[in-house]
Structure formats: C-alpha cells, structure tokens
Amino acid sequence: ELKVEQNPLFLSMQEGKNYTIYCNYSTTSDRLYWYRQDPGKSLESLFVLLSNGAVKQEGRLMASLDTKARLSTLHITAAVHDLSATYFCAVDEAGGGADGLTFGKGTHLIIQP
Amino acid sequence: DVKVTQSSRYLVKRTGEKVFLECVQDMDHENMFWYRQDPGLGLRLIYFSYDVKMKEKGDIPEGYSVSREKKERFSLILESASTNQTSMYLCASSSLGGLEFFGPGTRLTVL
C-alpha cells in the first residue's frame, strides 16, 4: 500500500524567511503533484513533476523530485503572507493518471507578517 | 480553462437518506474521481472511472457507489447516509496521463 508522508504538518513562519516542506512516499513512482488549498476552497494545482531530478519554479515556490530517494520538496523563498495555505503532495502510483492519486495529509502553513 | 462543477456547495441530509452528489466536467476528460477530505486525514480516493460505464474502487469505497452514464458526468451515491459520511467531497477529472483538476467541493453534513 502506497504511503505518502508530509513533514511538517503545521508550520508557522515569518515573512521573509525560507523553508522547505518534505514529501516522502513508499513506492516507486515518477509522477508527483503539489497542490495548494485555501480555507473553504478547492485544490489548485501548483506543480507536476514527471521525472527524476525534475525541478519546477513559480514565483517564490520551487519543487523538486528525487525518485531514487522517493522524496519531493517544496521550497519557499522569502515567504510572504499570501502564501499562507495548506499544501498537499500527491503521488500517482500507477503512472498513467487513471487510477487516482494518493495524497499526503497536507502541510498547514501560516506566514506571519 | 478546465471547469469541474459540483451540484451543491453545501448539503444537509438525515441518517438513512439516499444522497446524490453530481459532478460535471467540460473538457472531455476520460478520467473522473471522487475523493473525500477530512481534517487530519487529507484526501482519500473513494471511486474513480476511466471511461463511460466503467468504475473502479478506490481506497475507501464502503458505503458509496458511483454512476457514469455520460463522459462528462460522474455521480457519487450514498445509498443510506450515515453520520460518519459527514465530510467534504471533492470531484476531479483528468485526461489520459494528465493533471487532475478539482471541483469546488460539496460539504455534506449528515444529521
């Protein structure tokens, strides 16, 4: 059974600081997704990582994937309040996208002004 | 833009009632999914479908069934709602090998 673990589950940080969210998974997969969810809203796609060594960046967020270590990271640079949200990683075990995703429990991120 | 819509944002039902949650996508996606989201548990896959009239059980199918009569529509059915099915239900769709796009969610309360 695939397990996806995020670390930390809760994170409070100050604006301007850097931090990394970690996502470990228990089976071989080269498809990993990062989503953002604001309170009361649905999930918004951030990144799709499709191969070992993949790195994607959007603004202050950068995601990477190491399939050998079964690890993805979401790095936040110089955090701003607007990035406060819950971040989920999700793994596509089957690889074709047809069998659904297995999600981590989410990292609740609060960025203090 | 991909659009995934769900029939209700909020729903309140009584124990034992039959509940239908509808999901429609407008991008001709082959795959459709139903997840439930609970605090501290993340999202868990209930059922999915990769084609019309096809359905597969996800991780937590007990107490649910689904229907996909048309490509754009995927329904989740609670045959006899119970209080432990109070949750946020999220529908998603994707093309073959593509990204999953999520609907706005239905917050279901079963009294």
Side-chain angles (χ1 to χ4, degrees):
Chain A
E1 180 190 343
L2 171 59
K3 292 191 187 303
V4 180
E5 294 186 353
Q6 283 182 240
N7 179 37
L9 296 182
F10 297 96
L11 177 58
S12 178
M13 56 192 292
Q14 286 187 315
E15 280 192 325
K17 300 287 188 184
N18 304 332
Y19 209 82
T20 300
I21 299 170
Y22 297 89
C23 176
N24 289 93
Y25 55 97
S26 63
T27 190
T28 56
S29 173
D30 57 3
R31 295 176 72 94
L32 189 136
Y33 303 81
W34 284 97
Y35 287 89
R36 168 183 172 146
Q37 186 178 39
D38 292 296
K41 302 288 177 95
S42 190
L43 275 74
E44 172 192 351
S45 171
L46 292 175
F47 300 108
V48 182
L49 302 168
L50 298 177
S51 61
N52 185 41
V55 177
K56 295 271 184 83
Q57 183 162 7
E58 179 75 33
R60 300 174 187 274
L61 300 178
M62 184 173 72
S64 65
L65 178 62
D66 181 343
T67 58
K68 292 178 182 175
R70 300 179 187 176
L71 171 69
S72 179
T73 61
L74 180 66
H75 187 72
I76 303 154
T77 302
V80 293
H81 179 66
D82 286 352
L83 291 178
S84 297
T86 300
Y87 293 86
F88 291 93
C89 65
V91 176
D92 177 0
E93 182 178 14
D99 293 353
L101 302 176
T102 301
F103 282 80
K105 292 191 171 137
T107 297
H108 184 56
L109 175 63
I110 297 173
I111 299 170
Q112 317 253 10
Chain B
D1 277 354
V2 174
K3 197 167 181 183
V4 181
T5 57
Q6 295 183 227
S7 51
S8 306
R9 291 301 303 275
Y10 300 94
L11 209 52
V12 180
K13 295 291 182 181
R14 296 199 179 276
T15 301
E17 280 193 79
K18 191 169 186 176
V19 182
F20 292 87
L21 302 182
E22 304 283 336
C23 174
V24 178
Q25 50 93 4
D26 66 358
M27 285 301 291
D28 202 36
H29 283 169
E30 293 82 6
N31 308 316
M32 296 189 75
F33 311 87
W34 276 106
Y35 294 88
R36 66 177 280 177
Q37 183 179 19
D38 300 288
L41 296 177
L43 279 79
R44 292 178 291 167
L45 182 64
I46 304 172
Y47 266 97
F48 60 98
S49 167
Y50 52 87
D51 201 354
V52 176
K53 297 194 184 294
M54 305 303 290
K55 58 186 178 184
E56 296 285 343
K57 292 179 180 179
D59 298 321
I60 51 164
E62 297 78 18
Y64 303 94
S65 62
V66 290
S67 172
R68 192 163 180 204
E69 297 296 318
K70 294 184 178 181
K71 190 175 185 180
E72 67 270 18
R73 189 180 296 269
F74 193 35
S75 302
L76 180 70
I77 303 154
L78 288 67
E79 294 288 343
S80 177
S82 64
T83 55
N84 63 12
Q85 292 177 310
T86 292
S87 187
M88 169 72 89
Y89 290 88
L90 291 164
C91 174
S93 73
S94 72
S95 59
L96 218 55
L99 180 64
E100 283 190 25
F101 291 88
F102 283 81
T106 297
R107 187 168 293 281
L108 172 67
T109 301
V110 182
L111 301 176

